[in-house]
Amino acid sequence: MRTRLNIFLVALAAILFAPLAEAASPALAAQSSSEASVTVKVTPRALTGASWDFEVVFDTHSQELKDDLEKTAVLVADGGAAQTPVKWQGDPPGGHHRSGTLQFKAVSPMPAAIELRITRQGEAKPRSFRWKLK
C-alpha cells in the first residue's frame, strides 16, 4: 500500500511540476541567414547539461558546401571569449544540402545571451545568430 502511495505521489508531482520546468527553459527560436545564395538555419536544441547542442542546416543550389564547422564556428557568451565546438555530428563537407548537430561545452554560469558565429569562406563577415537566455 505504501509503495502505491509513493508511486502515486511521484506521478502527481511530475504532472504538476512539468509545466514549470518547461516554462523555466523555453525553446529558443530557429534563426536563418541567407547570403551569397546559401541559407544557414540554426536552432538551439539543448542548452542544459554538460554540452549545448545546435541544429545547423545549410541549403543552396549554386555551390558545394565545404564548411568545416569544427574550425569555422564559435560560441560567444555575453560578449566573452569565443569557444570552439567540441564536435560536429552530421553530413560531411560537400553537396548542396547539409545538416547536423554542432556541440559545444556548456557555458557556466548561465549567460544572459549567446551568439553563434559561423565564418564562411568568401563571405565578408561571419553569419551571426543571437539568443537572449535571461
Side-chain angles (χ1 to χ4, degrees):
M1 181 74 165
R2 180 177 243 166
T3 303
R4 285 185 185 169
L5 179 60
N6 287 340
I7 292 171
F8 172 76
L9 291 175
V10 169
L12 181 61
I15 291 168
L16 292 175
F17 293 109
L20 294 176
E22 290 175 13
S25 60
L28 296 173
Q31 295 183 20
S32 62
S33 168
S34 294
E35 292 181 36
S37 300
V38 176
T39 299
V40 180
K41 180 179 176 183
V42 179
T43 308
R45 289 295 179 207
L47 301 183
T48 59
S51 68
W52 287 7
D53 299 343
F54 297 83
E55 178 183 346
V56 181
V57 178
F58 288 88
D59 189 27
T60 187
H61 294 286
S62 63
Q63 59 186 277
E64 288 289 307
L65 297 168
K66 299 177 183 178
D67 305 78
D68 182 349
L69 291 174
E70 289 184 14
K71 295 179 181 173
T72 62
V74 295
L75 182 65
V76 180
D78 290 335
Q83 181 184 144
T84 57
V86 174
K87 82 173 137 172
W88 165 257
Q89 286 185 298
D91 299 326
H96 294 264
H97 309 281
R98 292 181 63 201
S99 64
T101 301
L102 193 57
Q103 190 175 75
F104 292 87
K105 182 180 172 190
V107 177
S108 182
M110 180 67 75
I114 56 172
E115 180 181 6
L116 178 64
R117 296 178 192 154
I118 299 174
T119 302
R120 301 200 68 246
Q121 186 173 6
E123 294 184 7
K125 60 183 182 174
R127 306 279 182 111
S128 177
F129 305 91
R130 185 171 171 78
W131 296 271
K132 288 185 180 180
L133 304 180
K134 294 181 182 178

